[in-house]
Amino acid sequence: MKKQFLTGHQIVTQACIDAGAKHMFGYPITPGTEILTNWIDAAQTNPELTQLQTEDEIAAGFAVCGAVMAGNKAFTATAGPGTVLMQDAMSMADGMRLPVVVIIAQRGGPSSGTVIYSQQEVNLAIHGGNGEGMRIVYSPSTVEELYTHTRKVFNAAWKYRFPSVLLTDGFLLKTTQDVELSFDTKNEKGDITIFEQNKKQHIRNIYTVEEELYEELQRQKKDFDKMALEITESEEYKIEDADIVIISHGIVGAAAKAAIDILRESGISVGLFRPITLSPFPTDALNTLAGRVKKFVIIESSMGQLRDLVKQELDTSIAIKIDGLYKPAVGISVEEIVEKINLISK
Amino acid sequence: MTAISTFCPGCGQPAILRVMHGILKEKKVEEKAVLGLDIGCSLLAWDYLPINTFQTHHGRVVATMVGYKKAKPDSVSIAYAGDGGAYAIGFQSLLWAAIRDEPVTVIVNNNAVYAMTGGQTAPTTMIGQKTSTSPAGSDQMPVNGPELIRNLNKDAYIARTTMTDMKELKGHLEKAFEAQAQGHFSLVEVLSFCPTNWKVMGAELRAYVERMQETFPLGTF
Ligand SMILES: Cc1ncc(C[n+]2csc(CCOP(=O)(O)OP(=O)(O)O)c2C)c(N)n1
Ligand code: SF4
Ligand SMILES: [Mg+2]
């Protein structure tokens, strides 16, 4: 594989094409717009790709629902207020188990907030619907992972039929870098058509009897837990002898790694636990670690959305100290992380 | 395979659906047909006809069928919605599907109320009509969907008809499907009985629809 000089947006777009996506429906919003424009550029010369700039994110999301029900891979990309509107369609995808793929380019919130960066859309990505949040959410930390995780998101969506999200941000998407795009897993088949010629389907998302919905949700939960055993992923970095373990996801995870290398040089035994799938969460790996190390330091560009996920998953019989650096909607530098850990380990 | 109707006795909607299905059968496109349902009493049709059918969300059926049609251009994509789903919560998507001339067929069941939720004011509630949210009688201008949409798309097939005249209804639906086959948007609004929320029965139902025609004239636009 030869290296290419690409932006994060270009990498994600290419990954969607390579994953076998045929349709994109989208509404422009910074910092995700370039995925739409890059896709439209690609569609100019590739007759297999179609696109539609819809009237809003609601229509984009439901058009994706329609396209996947017809059996084709389709996706949208959105951010911030658009991620809020997208919940309507994502909730239908939750209820009907539709392999809808959404690329979320997090920006600062609430409201219109800021337009480039945050890690504040974790809750929306996982729990934005009017149900339990049985969604698959990947959080890439490098441009290489933008590619591999987008491919994984499509595969997971079509294999397990849960709506699936690539949760990223404008910093990573706007990064331009030499990158080798490689992914050696085969694409899941996209042509599993709900509506086959001879098999008439009647599909609902509303139930008249409470027990019917209850049973459907039990089935979904069973499938979700089974799926979780197969795809849950996390990265552990220099944790073998660590007293302190930083927990970060996405781009902050990459900064934490660089900080750990610096801290290790001054003799501080610190490591990193980075959930790659925020949903399903790597609960077992987290708890194994919690039983072994002295302290978790959660570092994220939100007021504590990752912390809440961690606390929710933590085995309550384990007593572990939790410290944190919470900086909603601003980037976190390597130096800040070094300083924070230095302060703690004094 | 057709299930028993769960619509109220005397409801206009099953008649519309049966006429629609008759055409699909006659034209031998049952296999290619897919019926998307808005949430409203339309949702009751989810297992009513022996064709592929799915529910969507309130106001979202048109956007969903636009996506479906993109993925399956040779399908007959039908969006079936109530007046509230079409002209209130889903109005934006409906207008834009018309503006872009999306090749889908929208059937709007106009019963002048929000029926599923118990008879509140709809975009098609008529001046003076009493509903649970307009107890003194509505003073809101009713939405004339077909007339409005005509101005947005010169190639679309746009009509208003009534389920009290099956022949007319059939003719308009046939032309709507033809328009879809030609690559154009089509919309047929159908005036339709809701005995439960109108609280009228028998011959009075027809009289009610006749009165509706003063606000909602029939024909092509
Ligand atoms: C987002 C959302 N808001 C509100 C509702 C509640 N709701 C269900 S059906 C309906 C009105 C239906 O009226 P109409 O579209 O005219 O269909 P009808 O029942 O009259 O056939 C409403 C408000 C809903 N399901 N979803
Ligand atoms: S409430 Fe009205 S529209 Fe709904 S099923 Fe009954 S009669 Fe039909
Ligand atoms: Mg109605």
Side-chain angles (χ1 to χ4, degrees):
Chain A
M1 267 289 175
K2 76 172 205 312
K3 291 209 165 183
Q4 294 170 271
F5 193 60
L6 297 171
T7 67
H9 288 113
Q10 288 171 322
I11 291 166
V12 171
T13 310
Q14 190 58 50
C16 292
I17 296 169
D18 295 346
K22 294 281 176 280
H23 318 281
M24 178 177 185
F25 302 92
Y27 190 84
I29 183 164
T30 311
T33 308
E34 290 89 334
I35 298 171
L36 178 63
T37 52
N38 289 342
W39 176 272
I40 292 173
D41 275 346
Q44 304 305 305
T45 51
N46 183 344
E48 287 216 329
L49 311 182
T50 74
Q51 53 79 23
L52 182 64
Q53 180 182 330
T54 53
E55 58 276 16
D56 55 28
E57 288 85 350
I58 298 172
F62 281 94
V64 174
C65 289
V68 301
M69 278 198 273
N72 284 1
K73 290 186 181 173
F75 74 104
T76 187
T78 191
T83 311
V84 174
L85 294 187
M86 199 54 70
Q87 297 308 321
D88 193 355
M90 289 177 80
S91 164
M92 187 165 96
D94 291 338
M96 295 165 83
R97 297 283 298 270
L98 303 178
V100 161
V101 168
V102 181
I103 314 289
I104 296 179
Q106 296 172 100
R107 54 186 260 165
S111 181
S112 307
T114 52
V115 301
I116 306 294
Y117 175 76
S118 89
Q119 294 191 314
Q120 295 172 293
E121 295 175 41
V122 172
N123 287 345
L124 268 183
I126 305 171
H127 292 295
N130 54 331
E132 320 301 338
M134 286 187 265
R135 296 176 180 169
I136 294 166
V137 179
Y138 278 85
S139 175
S141 73
T142 63
V143 289
E144 284 83 7
E145 285 185 353
L146 278 179
Y147 185 77
T148 53
H149 289 188
T150 303
R151 301 285 304 269
K152 285 181 182 184
V153 162
F154 272 97
N155 272 352
W158 283 88
K159 182 163 184 194
Y160 304 105
R161 289 191 167 266
F162 288 102
S164 301
V165 172
L166 183 86
L167 184 69
T168 181
D169 61 72
F171 281 172
L172 198 54
L173 287 169
K174 284 174 192 288
T175 304
T176 309
Q177 203 173 297
D178 267 324
V179 58
E180 201 182 281
L181 304 182
S182 74
F183 185 70
D184 49 21
T185 313
K186 265 195 8 229
N187 282 343
E188 281 298 321
K189 259 174 58 198
D191 57 355
I192 319 159
T193 320
I194 293 187
F195 302 100
E196 285 154 20
Q197 291 289 307
N198 305 313
K199 205 168 127 226
K200 307 294 179 333
Q201 307 261 8
H202 296 112
I203 303 174
R204 59 183 165 165
N205 58 43
I206 189 163
Y207 299 82
T208 28
V209 182
E210 274 80 7
E211 284 71 22
E212 276 181 324
L213 174 60
Y214 176 81
E215 275 159 29
E216 169 59 22
L217 292 176
Q218 298 309 310
R219 268 194 297 278
Q220 290 194 12
K221 174 75 171 122
K222 214 170 126 222
D223 291 352
F224 192 82
D225 290 345
K226 189 157 161 273
M227 172 275 295
L229 295 175
E230 293 173 31
I231 75 155
T232 303
E233 230 185 295
S234 57
E235 183 190 10
E236 294 175 345
Y237 183 67
K238 299 192 176 172
I239 55 149
E240 295 75 23
D241 61 339
D243 294 325
I244 299 172
V245 167
I246 296 172
I247 304 182
S248 289
H249 74 98
I251 200 170
V252 181
K257 265 170 135 175
I260 287 164
D261 289 344
I262 295 169
L263 289 158
R264 287 258 166 192
E265 273 171 32
S266 56
I268 299 172
S269 49
V270 56
L272 170 73
F273 179 70
R274 179 172 71 91
I276 289 172
T277 50
L278 292 175
S279 172
F281 197 84
T283 307
D284 292 344
L286 174 81
N287 282 316
T288 307
L289 212 53
R292 188 153 75 69
V293 305
K294 292 196 181 116
K295 188 175 244 179
F296 282 156
V297 184
I298 298 166
I299 302 181
E300 57 176 316
S301 297
S302 104
M303 206 91 84
Q305 297 192 24
L306 175 64
R307 174 202 58 211
D308 294 347
L309 272 185
V310 168
K311 284 195 167 172
Q312 195 179 305
E313 299 300 325
L314 210 52
D315 183 338
T316 46
S317 68
I318 303 170
I320 180 159
K321 291 206 181 79
I322 297 182
D323 201 329
L325 181 62
Y326 309 110
K327 302 193 70 178
V330 292
I332 300 177
S333 67
V334 175
E335 294 71 29
E336 277 173 284
I337 300 174
V338 169
E339 195 184 327
K340 173 77 187 173
I341 302 298
N342 270 328
L343 213 67
I344 288 173
S345 56
K346 273 213 182 98
Chain B
M1 141 143 227
T2 304
I4 298 154
S5 163
T6 48
F7 293 96
C8 309
C11 177
Q13 306 210 39
I16 300 169
L17 291 161
R18 280 198 307 271
V19 169
M20 180 202 79
H21 177 238
I23 298 167
L24 300 172
K25 217 169 152 175
E26 234 173 74
K27 302 243 185 277
K28 300 196 167 54
V29 290
E30 265 184 297
E31 309 271 271
K32 285 183 185 297
V34 58
L35 177 65
L37 304 172
D38 213 74
I39 296 297
C41 286
S42 45
L43 73 86
L44 300 172
W46 76 282
D47 61 349
Y48 183 57
L49 298 173
I51 57 172
N52 285 317
T53 307
F54 55 78
Q55 294 169 340
T56 64
H57 279 187
H58 187 35
R60 309 299 174 225
V61 70
V62 174
T64 308
M65 297 322 291
V66 165
Y68 191 93
K69 183 74 179 184
K70 275 259 186 292
K72 273 240 170 92
D74 69 339
S75 62
V76 180
S77 292
I78 309 162
Y80 183 66
D83 39 64
Y87 302 149
I89 191 167
F91 213 13
Q92 171 137 312
S93 283
L94 176 66
L95 295 183
W96 276 97
I99 291 168
R100 291 191 305 255
D101 202 23
E102 300 285 355
V104 297
T105 297
V106 182
I107 302 174
V108 181
N109 181 79
N110 178 355
N111 53 15
V113 285
Y114 279 8
M116 176 50 83
T117 43
Q120 297 78 24
T121 300
T124 46
T125 294
M126 295 162 288
I127 303 280
Q129 184 184 335
K130 287 188 173 145
T131 73
S132 64
T133 49
S134 306
S138 176
D139 59 0
Q140 172 181 285
M141 270 300 287
V143 170
N144 286 73
E147 289 85 339
L148 181 77
I149 289 167
R150 176 76 286 163
N151 294 316
L152 302 173
N153 180 329
K154 61 178 175 30
D155 298 316
Y157 184 77
I158 312 277
R160 184 186 289 110
T161 182
T162 163
M163 44 74 55
T164 53
D165 187 341
M166 299 290 176
K167 212 169 138 241
E168 279 287 312
L169 171 61
K170 182 162 186 259
H172 287 302
L173 289 178
E174 277 170 355
K175 292 211 181 80
F177 292 144
E178 275 161 32
Q180 180 175 159
Q182 301 296 316
H184 296 300
F185 179 80
S186 51
L187 178 138
V188 179
E189 181 187 301
V190 190
L191 307 184
S192 168
F193 297 165
C194 178
T196 305
N197 288 294
W198 296 351
K199 299 186 176 64
V200 300
M201 296 248 280
E204 278 179 71
L205 284 166
R206 281 183 174 270
Y208 198 105
V209 166
E210 303 257 306
R211 276 201 305 283
M212 279 176 81
Q213 290 172 38
E214 290 162 22
T215 307
F216 303 113
L218 308 185
T220 46
F221 297 89

